Amino acid sequence: MECLQVRGGSRLEGSLTVQGAKNSVLPILAASLLGEGVSVIRNCPALRDVAASVAILRHLGCRVRQEGDALVVDASPVDRCDVPEDLMREMRSSVLFLGAVLGRTGCAELCLPGGCELGPRPIDLHLKGLEAMGAEIRQEGSHLYGCTKGLRGCDVQLATPSVGATENLMLAACRARGTTQIRNAAREPEIVDLQQFLRAMGADVRGAGTGTVVVRGMTPLGDCEHTVLCDRIAAATYLAAAAAAGGDLEVRGVAYRQLSTVTGVFSEAGCRVSSGETSVRLRSEGRLRGVGPIHTAPYPGFPTDAQAPVMAALARSYGTTVFVENIFSSRYRHVRELRRLGADIRTEGRVAVVRGVPRLRGAAVRATDLRGGAGLIVAALAAHGESEITGLDHIDRGYEHIEGVLCALGAEIVRTER
Ligand code: UD1
């Protein structure tokens, strides 16, 4: 079994250009199926979830090749509409293939997606929206069978601004007759990036980044080129690492306003934060101050994906910080592991109370989900002594060569077999 051995206590100094965004590249790869052209998708991070998406595209008949950091997808030969169960279960965003495959072929056979265990993750909004567009979707156990004689545009009001449902409906709407309006749409930057990719293909999509996305369907979709947005959550994670361990870090490639809720917390915690147009610099003396309550919320609120890394940074602090997790009902599984490192954190329901301690100490811990795993690395970098982190499959789903990035900044981390 692979593990990361982390020796805490080194300051992190230097600069890094952050990887392409996992949560952008996955919907974009699904979108590449919609037309019959060739998509050149640059700045693709080398992640397990990306490899799983490529495997799905190949299974469906696409030709996919890698050219440096670009994936080149030729979707002209698509000849299947089923996604095998083992590939569906690899990750949550495999559900985006439902809208894309239905739109492209008129039928889809999938099963319920996998992904991080963060509590129940229903897909009712995806299904309701696709049904409103004229798809018939039958669920048998964990299998989904969808078919349509032709999707049609309609108005969909999402009960909650779901990122995945917004994306799935945008994809299907590109292949629907007429206009689709998605109201109460998610406003995440990754939705804007998907819109840009779809436009580059020839789709007529507007409104991404606001609460209403409008798609006029059936425009011809052809060859395109696109560069994937940089990953604001990976950026937040590296900033959390520098905040926790102490140091002077510049993160390049990410727009400051996409990170302002996270950097706001680090400023309040005593770090010095400054920004250029597409870079953020953070200087920290290591031990932070507790801050006012942090409520996770849909964008532009504080991102649920940054909750664990930021909590890990505040574990060693003066004072107390309260977290309220409003997006997922069970997103504190990292807390038990942080406690092994000496953190004083109590949870009740959606609330976690972090009483800052003067010192964390190295321990053996296990990543139980992607962002929680990243949080363990953050805490281990701030701890005295050596930690051993297992469960790397989770971390590798979303971070490109995380130990290499951190070691280049001065961290002491080795990936090894246990
Ligand atoms: C995406 C991100 C994930 C992030 C999350 C919230 C990707 C690949 N993943 O996940 O990293 O943590 O947004 O920012 O982009 N919901 C329903 N019914 C549905 C769909 C969602 O009730 O049909 C609920 C969920 O249970 C959750 C909330 O809506 O409570 C938000 O989920 P959603 O925005 O859909 O998250 P994902 O798209 O799965």
Side-chain angles (χ1 to χ4, degrees):
M1 189 194 344
E2 271 192 332
C3 72
L4 292 178
Q5 283 173 347
V6 183
R7 172 161 295 284
S10 308
R11 286 170 62 83
L12 301 184
E13 309 265 353
S15 67
L16 65 92
T17 300
V18 78
Q19 68 185 55
K22 168 179 97 67
N23 289 353
S24 269
V25 72
L26 301 179
I28 285 172
L29 286 170
S32 69
L33 260 184
L34 290 170
E36 301 203 353
V38 175
S39 305
V40 179
I41 306 163
R42 302 189 197 286
N43 198 28
C44 285
L47 303 172
R48 267 189 58 197
D49 277 10
V50 171
S53 295
V54 167
I56 292 175
L57 289 171
R58 288 196 172 125
H59 174 84
L60 293 166
C62 295
R63 279 189 285 265
V64 187
R65 64 173 200 278
Q66 174 125 30
E67 282 179 10
D69 74 351
L71 284 170
V72 182
V73 182
D74 176 359
S76 57
V78 165
D79 58 357
R80 307 182 68 126
C81 69
D82 65 305
V83 179
E85 188 159 351
D86 54 329
L87 294 177
M88 278 304 288
R89 293 208 186 284
E90 273 279 309
M91 57 178 176
R92 167 79 182 174
S93 24
S94 55
V95 73
L96 296 174
F97 282 92
L98 181 57
V101 175
L102 256 180
R104 172 72 192 269
T105 69
C107 62
E109 286 180 37
L110 292 81
C111 66
L112 295 175
C116 287
E117 283 295 328
L118 312 174
R121 294 182 78 172
I123 55 166
D124 56 310
L125 303 176
H126 303 237
L127 301 185
K128 263 192 220 148
L130 293 170
E131 282 166 351
M133 292 169 84
E136 283 175 32
I137 301 174
R138 190 162 45 87
Q139 188 170 346
E140 282 177 19
S142 63
H143 287 261
L144 294 170
Y145 300 91
C147 67
T148 176
K149 295 205 173 69
L151 297 172
R152 50 179 190 273
C154 66
D155 277 16
V156 182
Q157 168 86 30
L158 296 178
T160 185
S162 156
V163 174
T166 303
E167 292 167 343
N168 227 336
L169 298 178
M170 285 167 74
L171 299 185
C174 289
R175 300 287 298 220
R177 213 165 286 287
T179 299
T180 300
Q181 298 221 28
I182 308 165
R183 296 180 203 279
N184 197 25
R187 292 184 281 162
E188 269 67 1
E190 293 76 19
I191 308 266
V192 179
D193 205 30
L194 176 61
Q195 170 174 282
Q196 275 166 3
F197 176 78
L198 291 168
R199 280 188 182 166
M201 283 179 104
D204 181 351
V205 189
R206 58 208 143 83
T210 74
T212 305
V213 176
V214 182
V215 183
R216 194 170 59 82
M218 290 308 222
T219 52
L221 303 177
D223 296 352
C224 72
E225 282 195 36
H226 180 77
T227 300
V228 173
L229 176 82
C230 285
D231 196 312
R232 65 195 164 96
I233 304 300
T237 304
Y238 294 123
L239 291 172
D248 183 349
L249 174 65
E250 184 193 38
V251 174
R252 289 191 304 246
V254 68
Y256 177 69
R257 70 193 142 69
Q258 294 176 1
L259 275 177
S260 57
T261 50
V262 175
T263 51
V265 166
F266 289 131
S267 299
E268 192 184 338
C271 301
R272 278 182 295 158
V273 182
S274 53
S275 65
E277 209 170 296
T278 57
S279 68
V280 178
R281 180 174 175 198
L282 178 144
R283 279 166 284 182
S284 163
E285 294 313 317
R287 190 163 173 202
L288 306 179
R289 285 196 299 265
V291 298
I294 297 175
H295 296 258
T296 66
Y299 191 83
F302 187 94
T304 173
D305 286 351
Q307 179 248 105
V310 170
M311 182 184 287
L314 286 163
R316 189 169 69 101
S317 62
Y318 300 95
T320 296
T321 303
V322 172
F323 285 80
V324 183
E325 172 54 59
N326 292 309
I327 307 293
F328 294 109
S329 59
S330 175
R331 203 165 198 182
Y332 288 136
R333 296 195 333 149
H334 49 281
V335 165
R336 204 185 61 182
E337 305 299 307
L338 289 175
R339 282 201 203 114
R340 285 184 204 274
L341 292 160
D344 178 355
I345 306 174
R346 279 181 211 163
T347 60
E348 198 175 318
R350 292 179 178 270
V351 176
V353 179
V354 181
R355 286 209 177 89
V357 294
R359 195 175 228 254
L360 297 171
R361 52 178 190 279
V365 289
R366 191 170 67 85
T368 53
D369 62 87
L370 166 57
R371 305 302 170 185
L376 298 182
I377 297 179
V378 169
L381 288 169
H384 275 258
E386 191 156 303
S387 298
E388 188 175 273
I389 303 175
T390 51
L392 303 190
D393 280 1
H394 292 293
I395 297 170
D396 294 339
R397 285 189 38 228
Y399 293 91
E400 189 176 36
H401 198 29
I402 191 165
E403 70 275 22
V405 173
L406 289 166
C407 286
L409 303 172
E412 288 184 59
I413 309 183
V414 181
R415 186 181 286 249
T416 169
E417 280 296 327
R418 194 167 165 245

